[in-house]
Amino acid sequence: MAKVNVSLPQGTRDFGADVVRKRNYIFNTIKSVFELYGFEPLETPAMENLDTLMGKYGEEGDKLIFKILNNGLDNLAKQQTIKDEFEKILAGKNTSAITERALKYDLTIPFARYVAMNHNQLTMPFKRYQVQPVWRADRPQKGRYREFYQCDADVVGSKSLLNEVELTNIYSTVFQKLGVDVEIKINSRKILAALAEVCGGSEKMVDITVAIDKLDKIGLEKVKEELVQRGLTAEQISIIEKYLLIVGSNEEKLQQINSLLGESETGRQGIEELETVYLQSAITNLQFDFTLARGLNYYTGIIFEVKAKNVQMGSIGGGGRYDDLTGLFGVPNIPGVGISFGVDRIYDVMEELKLFPADVHTGTTVLFFNLGDAESKKAFELMQQLRNKAVACELFHENSKFDKQFKYAEKKQIPFIVILGTKELESGTCNVKELATGVQESLSFDALLQKFSI
C-alpha cells in the first residue's frame, strides 16, 4: 500500500487536550463577562450565501473570503461552460454557476443578516454574543490563521453611547480576569470622515482609511506613497500627515484633533463621542488613537482595537459602531455597535507570557490501578461512587506492571493514584498516593470517598 502523506491545510491546526482546556478557559471567561452584561448566546451557520458577504468588508476584505464550489459541477462540465465560468472567477468576478456560497469571514455580517430576517420577533435593544469559527483566505503567519475563532458581543436597536461605554468595560474586565495587560484604543469613523472632507470630500474616505489602516505594517512614508497612488495631492497628504502625527495624553490629543478638524460638524460630533466614552468608562488603559482606521466599510462611529503589551502580536480585539448595518439587507434604521475578541491570538499571548493558571490543566483526578479481576471490580465500584460525587476518575484498562500504570498517570498529569491489591481488598482499605508530593496513606473505602468529596 502506498504511503499516505498526512497533513493539515495551511493556516489550520489540531488541538490536543492541553490546548483545548486552555482555550476553554478563555472562552468561559469571555462568556461569563458577556452574560454579566446581559448578552444572550447566538449561533449562525458556517457558510452564508455569497451575496450576503461580498461587498461588506471593503476592497481588501472581499479578497479574503473563502468561496465554496457548487455541487453538480460535473453537469456544468458536460455543458462545456465550466472553462468560461472559471475564467470569470480568475478575472475577479463572481459567477453563480461556480459558487453561490462562502465560509463566513466574521460574525458581524451573519449577525446583521440574522437581525434583518428576525427583527420583528426580537426584543430591542437586542444584545447577543457569539462564539464560533470564521475563515479567511489570508497568508498564514504568527498570530494569523485561515481558520480561527471569534467571540463577539453586539447591541442592535440603540444609538446610546452607553453601549460603547459598556463594551469598553467588557474589554477591560475580560483582560483583567485573564491577566493580560492591554491597551484599549478608540477612534471614530466620524473623525476619519471629517479628515476626508478637509482633504477634498467624502469620496476620498475609502482611499484614506485603507491607506491609514496599513500604517503599522508599512510605515508613514509608504502610506504617503500609497495616498499619492490613490490620487491625493501634496497638500492633502500634508494634512493627513499632521493627523497621523498627533501624540500626547488623551486630553492633548483632543486639543490637537479639535484644532485640525474642529470646524467640521462631523468632526465635532466624533470628538464629542470620544470624549463621552472616555469620561464615562473611566478606564485607565483607554487611549485615543487617530491612526486607528479599521478599514471595514460598515463602521460609522466609535471604533475599537485592543493590543497586548509586552508581546509582539497584532490586535487581539476590535469592533465599532454601525448605524445602518441591517440596511445592507433591506431593513434600514437599526443601529448597532459591537466588539470582537481574537481568541487564537489571545491564546498565543497568554502562552508566551505564561498567564494560564496551573489548574487549567485539570482532567482526571484519580487513577485506580488495575491489579486483577476481583480488585478491579471493587475499584470500579468505588470509582463510580466518586464519579457520582463529580470526581473525575479512571481505572487503568488492563492488569499491567506498576511501572506502566505509574507512567500513564504521570503523562496525563493525574494527581492521585489508588492502589487496591489483594491485601487491601481483604482489609477493606486502599493506598492513596499523591504523585506531586509522594505522600501515601492507607484509607478505608468510606474514608476514600470522604477524601475526594466536593
Side-chain angles (χ1 to χ4, degrees), residues 414-432:
I414 299 173
F416 293 94
I417 60 169
V418 175
I419 299 172
L420 202 168
T422 304
K423 292 181 180 180
E424 289 79 16
L425 190 59
E426 292 174 352
S427 62
T429 63
C430 55
N431 293 314
V432 181

Side-chain angles (χ1 to χ4, degrees), residues 166-424:
E166 288 207 327
L167 291 170
T168 305
N169 278 275
I170 286 174
Y171 266 144
S172 180
T173 303
V174 166
F175 288 114
Q176 282 178 9
K177 286 178 175 289
L178 294 176
V180 180
D181 193 9
V182 299
E183 294 177 343
I184 303 172
K185 301 180 178 183
I186 61 171
N187 193 13
S188 174
R189 292 286 285 195
K190 291 178 181 177
I191 288 177
L192 291 162
L195 178 64
E197 289 174 13
V198 172
C199 292
S202 58
E203 70 275 3
K204 301 287 186 182
M205 176 79 164
V206 173
D207 289 329
I208 292 172
T209 55
V210 168
I212 289 177
D213 203 29
K214 298 176 183 178
L215 182 65
D216 285 346
K217 297 177 184 176
I218 65 176
L220 180 58
E221 293 306 314
K222 292 290 185 182
V223 168
K224 289 162 66 177
E225 289 177 15
E226 181 162 333
L227 290 170
V228 170
Q229 293 170 5
R230 290 179 176 270
L232 277 80
T233 67
E235 183 180 354
Q236 292 167 343
I237 293 171
S238 176
I239 294 171
I240 294 169
E241 183 173 13
K242 289 178 184 177
Y243 173 89
L244 295 176
L245 292 175
I246 291 175
V247 293
S249 67
N250 284 336
E251 290 77 11
E252 290 168 340
K253 289 176 180 176
L254 281 175
Q255 290 177 355
Q256 294 173 63
I257 198 67
N258 194 56
S259 297
L260 188 65
L261 302 177
E263 293 185 5
S264 161
E265 175 62 27
T266 305
R268 281 197 300 273
Q269 290 177 11
I271 292 167
E272 288 172 5
E273 289 177 0
L274 286 178
E275 193 170 18
T276 299
V277 173
Y278 171 59
L279 294 175
Q280 286 194 20
S281 62
I283 294 171
T284 56
N285 57 345
L286 181 64
Q287 296 181 9
F288 298 142
D289 183 354
F290 299 121
T291 69
L292 177 60
R294 296 198 65 80
L296 300 182
N297 289 342
Y298 50 68
Y299 290 131
T300 57
I302 297 289
I303 49 179
F304 303 89
E305 185 173 81
V306 181
K307 288 197 172 183
K309 298 180 181 178
N310 308 314
V311 62
Q312 292 296 316
M313 182 65 68
S315 64
I316 57 176
R321 161 71 60 176
Y322 43 87
D323 276 336
D324 193 27
L325 187 62
T326 53
L328 298 168
F329 302 108
V331 183
N333 303 319
I334 300 182
V337 59
I339 58 173
S340 179
F341 290 83
V343 170
D344 295 276
R345 288 186 176 185
I346 294 170
Y347 175 93
D348 289 345
V349 168
M350 294 184 67
E351 188 76 353
E352 183 171 335
L353 298 178
K354 296 180 170 46
L355 296 177
F356 286 105
D359 61 2
V360 79
H361 301 284
T362 302
T364 301
T365 302
V366 181
L367 174 68
F368 285 83
F369 274 26
N370 190 326
L371 302 177
D373 290 342
E375 293 85 351
S376 63
K377 183 177 179 180
K378 183 61 180 179
F380 188 85
E381 178 187 321
L382 292 168
M383 179 176 67
Q384 291 300 89
Q385 292 181 63
L386 285 174
R387 285 172 172 169
N388 288 336
K389 294 175 178 289
V391 180
C393 303
E394 291 184 49
L395 172 63
F396 196 72
H397 69 108
E398 61 184 3
N399 185 352
S400 301
K401 293 180 180 179
F402 269 41
D403 183 57
K404 184 175 182 180
Q405 299 191 53
F406 267 116
K407 285 181 178 178
Y408 180 81
E410 290 170 353
K411 287 180 178 179
K412 291 197 68 175
Q413 299 181 14
I414 299 173
F416 293 94
I417 60 169
V418 175
I419 299 172
L420 202 168
T422 304
K423 292 181 180 180
E424 289 79 16

Side-chain angles (χ1 to χ4, degrees), residues 440-452:
Q440 182 170 308
E441 57 184 334
S442 178
L443 299 175
S444 68
F445 295 155
D446 286 342
L448 171 70
L449 298 178
Q450 187 63 35
K451 177 179 177 67
F452 293 103

Side-chain angles (χ1 to χ4, degrees), residues 113-131:
R113 188 265 310 149
Y114 173 84
V115 173
M117 291 177 64
N118 298 280
H119 64 282
N120 289 326
Q121 289 79 43
L122 297 175
T123 301
M124 296 294 185
F126 177 52
K127 303 170 75 172
R128 85 83 171 85
Y129 72 86
Q130 199 168 343
V131 181

